[in-house]
């Protein structure tokens, strides 16, 4: 009796919250309540009083539209989500937003909603747990659980992440599949006909099938079995979406609209829930959850005692990283080569670097020497071979960072940043310090042609709120970019060249401010050239050639976002409002630059795709030479007067 009541309490807290909000997705919570209930009750180790406890099991609701289910559980487990909070579901400023959002609700491990991201985050979390166990001991060898729906399993990112998880034998990753054969447009037979468990077997996963999503005994047994496996496990659990609703269950009508007062009343009556009151939690149900919490706390206290006895010390940051990186520079090289130097110096100062490349390690140059490669056999490895799986790579790095101990990073060619965009966006939304290193910047890539020459990717990255984008011009700017990216707040992208660039002899005192004066005018600036990366060199040459003709200042725009964060006084000092003649030079889309050039300025940029050919010839072909730029400036000065 009490068992049925606890399950129904979870279901109807979600249903009532959705009805009250007149918005939300009741179908998943109603169908998946039993699996979530036994997972939390019988298997997950957690302590609501210490949500950041390093030894906790992680839970990801990848099917984030089912947020009502998670909030009901967080309420019943005393995470600080009150009945009033449930009544504020989906309202402005509430801790119960439409989809689960990291850092807004205690107990929410990651932001989910864009389908597929959550499972890939869970893979990253499971990798971080494996590494922690290898680095700091078995106390950290926790489980990672996820609930996914049909939608998650259709998404490509899930295939990438699951393939890697199988390869890495992440045996402590357990995924519950809410298999209800329904998505928004109807039954899954209109789009989805592969045998999912066979697919996962082929990925190297352990698979289990549970025929009846209401058979709580069978589900808890399946999870117990999964915990013994030597590979990650997918448990397909057949459920009925909107379970219990006479007119909406087993149809997409239950997916994304409130049941409504009438249907809710009918559903409650049909399923033997006789309480009139909405948001009702029977006393005996409250007592039941209290008992479970006490048991969880016993385990937690035992864990803490063992942890304290073990005297585990987490390494801390050493002072002096930026100085060491600045001192290492000097020789003219491609900025990707400077990057290789910087990440290896950083590794001596910053503990916990953990990341790698999507099959381009030899090109991205992001490998940590002597760090070893992470694998089933070597879970202490610091470098990750992600394989050619860019989208999952970025989401896995989010999972690694969210896990809380490691500084995750990824790398690929800049032109493939688009493959990662949905996960980069979520890193920014969560404001987590995931770092991406993108090499093979601009038409400088050359012979591989327009498919590989990024034109609009810097713009794309800069358009993500909270993403710090760095496009360094030489070794010292690369040092600054790496230091800032890995020690600052929120995500960062570093854009690096494949072609060699000269080393600049300029004052770097203000390089940490994102934009700074790289070449000072003789008396008062009559023209400002703004540039970043490889084009900064060109801008400096041009400014020197203009001596005597027009008094020119060059501003290096290493990072627009960092510059924007400076004081209005500093920004005015670097870009005085009175100087209206401004020219931005960047071998990429001009759109980023309009915020700086004003109505009287001009862009010398790349607003078209490039072509296959040697990089230096392409710079000539598209007008990125001193001569061509001087001609343009001459015309500009004539037009502007
Ligand atoms: C990337 C992405 N595409 C589309 C959506 C919109 N969407 C939300 S839920 C959903 C259907 C999901 O079906 P399923 O996972 O089976 O959930 P169920 O209907 O069973 O609750 C879709 C298409 C989304 N949230 N994310
Ligand atoms: Mg479904």
């Amino acid at each position: 009796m009490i068992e049925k009541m606890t399950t129904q309490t979870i279901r109807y807290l979600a249903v009532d919250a959705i009805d009250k909000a007149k918005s939300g997705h009741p179908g998943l919570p109603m169908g998946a309540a039993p699996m979530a209930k036994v997972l939390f009750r019988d298997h997950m180790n957690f302590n609501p009083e210490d949500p950041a406890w390093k030894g906790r099991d992680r839970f990801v609701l990848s099917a984030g539209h089912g947020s009502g289910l998670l909030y009901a559980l967080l309420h019943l487990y005393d995470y600080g989500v009150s009945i009033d909070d449930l009544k504020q579901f989906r309202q402005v400023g509430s801790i119960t937003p439409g989809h689960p959002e990291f850092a807004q609700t205690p107990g929410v491990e990651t932001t989910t909603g864009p389908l597929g991201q959550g499972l890939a985050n869970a893979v990253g979390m499971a990798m971080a747990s494996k590494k922690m166990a290898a680095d700091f001991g078995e106390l950290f060898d926790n489980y990672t659980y996820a609930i996914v729906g049909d939608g998650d399993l259709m998404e490509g990112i899930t295939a990438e992440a699951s393939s890697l998880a199988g390869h890495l034998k992440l045996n402590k990753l357990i995924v519950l599949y809410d298999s209800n054969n329904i998505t928004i447009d109807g039954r899954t037979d209109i789009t989805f006909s592969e045998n999912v468990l066979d697919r996962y077997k082929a990925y190297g996963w352990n698979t289990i099938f549970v025929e009846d999503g209401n058979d709580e005994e069978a589900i808890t047994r399946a999870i117990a079995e999964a915990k013994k496996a030597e590979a990650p496990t997918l448990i397909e659990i057949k459920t009925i979406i909107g379970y219990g609703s006479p007119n909406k269950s087993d149809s997409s009508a239950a997916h994304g609209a409130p049941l409504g007062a009438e249907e809710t009343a009918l559903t409650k009556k049909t399923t033997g829930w006789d309480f009139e009151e909405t948001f009702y939690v029977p006393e005996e149900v409250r007592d039941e959850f209290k008992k479970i919490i006490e048991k969880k706390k016993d385990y937690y206290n035992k864990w803490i005692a063992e942890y304290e006895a073990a005297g585990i010390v987490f390494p801390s940051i050493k002072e002096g990283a930026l100085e060491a990186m600045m001192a290492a520079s000097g020789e003219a090289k491609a900025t990707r080569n400077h990057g290789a130097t910087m990440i290896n110096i950083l590794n001596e100062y910053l503990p916990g670097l953990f990341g790698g490349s999507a099959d381009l390690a030899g090109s991205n140059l992001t490998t940590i020497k002597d760090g070893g490669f992470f694998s089933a056999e070597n879970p202490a490895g610091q470098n990750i071979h992600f394989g050619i799986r860019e989208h999952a790579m970025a989401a896995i790095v989010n999972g690694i960072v969210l896990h809380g101990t490691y500084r995750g990073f990824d790398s690929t060619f800049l032109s493939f940043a688009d493959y990662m965009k949905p996960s980069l966006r979520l890193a920014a939304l969560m404001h987590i310090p995931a770092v991406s290193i993108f090499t093979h910047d601009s038409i400088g890539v050359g012979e591989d042609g327009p498919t590989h020459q990024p034109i609009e990717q810097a713009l794309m990255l800069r358009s993500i709120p909270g993403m710090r984008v760095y496009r360094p011009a030489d070794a010292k700017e690369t040092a600054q970019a790496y230091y800032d990216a890995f020690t600052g707040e929120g995500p960062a992208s570093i854009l690096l060249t494949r072609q060699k660039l000269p080393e600049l002899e300029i004052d770097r005192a203000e390089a940490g401010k994102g934009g700074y004066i790289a070449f000072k005018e003789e008396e008062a600036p009559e023209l400002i050239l703004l540039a970043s990366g490889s084009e900064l060199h060109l801008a400096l040459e041009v400014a020197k050639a203009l001596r005597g003709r027009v008094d020119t200042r060059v501003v290096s725009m290493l990072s627009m976002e960092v510059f924007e964060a400076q004081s209005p006084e500093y920004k005015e000092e670097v870009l005085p409002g009175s100087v209206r003649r401004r020219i931005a030079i960047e071998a990429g889309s001009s759109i980023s630059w309009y915020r700086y050039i004003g109505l009287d300025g001009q862009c010398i940029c790349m607003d078209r795709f490039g072509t296959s050919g040697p990089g230096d010839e392409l710079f000539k072909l598209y007008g990125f030479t001193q001569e061509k730029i001087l001609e343009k400036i001459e015309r500009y000065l004539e037009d502007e007067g």
Side-chain angles (χ1 to χ4, degrees), residues 149-151 178-183 188 241:
D150 301 300
D178 174 38
S179 175
N180 59 21
N181 293 83
I182 297 287
T183 64
T188 47
I241 190 169

Side-chain angles (χ1 to χ4, degrees), residues 25 27-28 63 65 99 113-116 148-155 178 180-185 188 241 252 254-256:
H25 303 74
L28 185 146
H65 58 280
H99 290 82
L115 296 169
V148 305
D150 301 300
D152 286 294
L153 293 180
M154 286 189 212
E155 291 288 353
D178 174 38
N180 59 21
N181 293 83
I182 297 287
T183 64
I184 295 177
D185 279 354
T188 47
I241 190 169
S252 31
H255 167 87

Side-chain angles (χ1 to χ4, degrees), residues 475-530:
K476 287 199 165 59
E477 283 200 357
T478 308
Q480 187 76 51
Y482 268 71
Y483 181 78
D484 285 3
F486 279 97
T487 59
E489 284 183 19
S493 299
I494 308 175
L495 321 188
L496 303 173
T497 67
R498 193 187 68 151
Q499 77 273 21
K500 190 166 152 180
L501 300 179
E503 193 56 20
L504 296 171
E505 302 270 337
I506 53 174
D507 178 14
R508 316 302 179 122
E510 310 279 23
K513 292 185 173 158
Y516 65 100
I517 301 171
F519 179 87
K520 204 158 167 46
E521 63 284 350
E522 281 169 323
E523 281 168 26
E526 296 168 319
L527 171 70
I528 300 176
L529 302 180
L530 296 107

Side-chain angles (χ1 to χ4, degrees), residues 10 20 125 146 167 206 254 303-304 369 383 397 454 468 506 509 546 556 618:
I10 297 168
K20 176 142 199 324
M125 292 174 188
H167 172 78
N206 173 44
W303 190 98
I304 294 289
K369 287 184 199 115
N383 298 289
V397 165
R468 293 168 294 143
I506 53 174
L546 286 170
S556 169
L618 297 184

Side-chain angles (χ1 to χ4, degrees), residues 2 14 21 36 51 75 113 196 222 283 312 399 433 514 535 568 584 607 614 640:
I2 181 71
H75 168 69
V196 173
E283 244 354 273
I312 294 160
E535 290 69 63
D607 287 311
E640 289 295 316

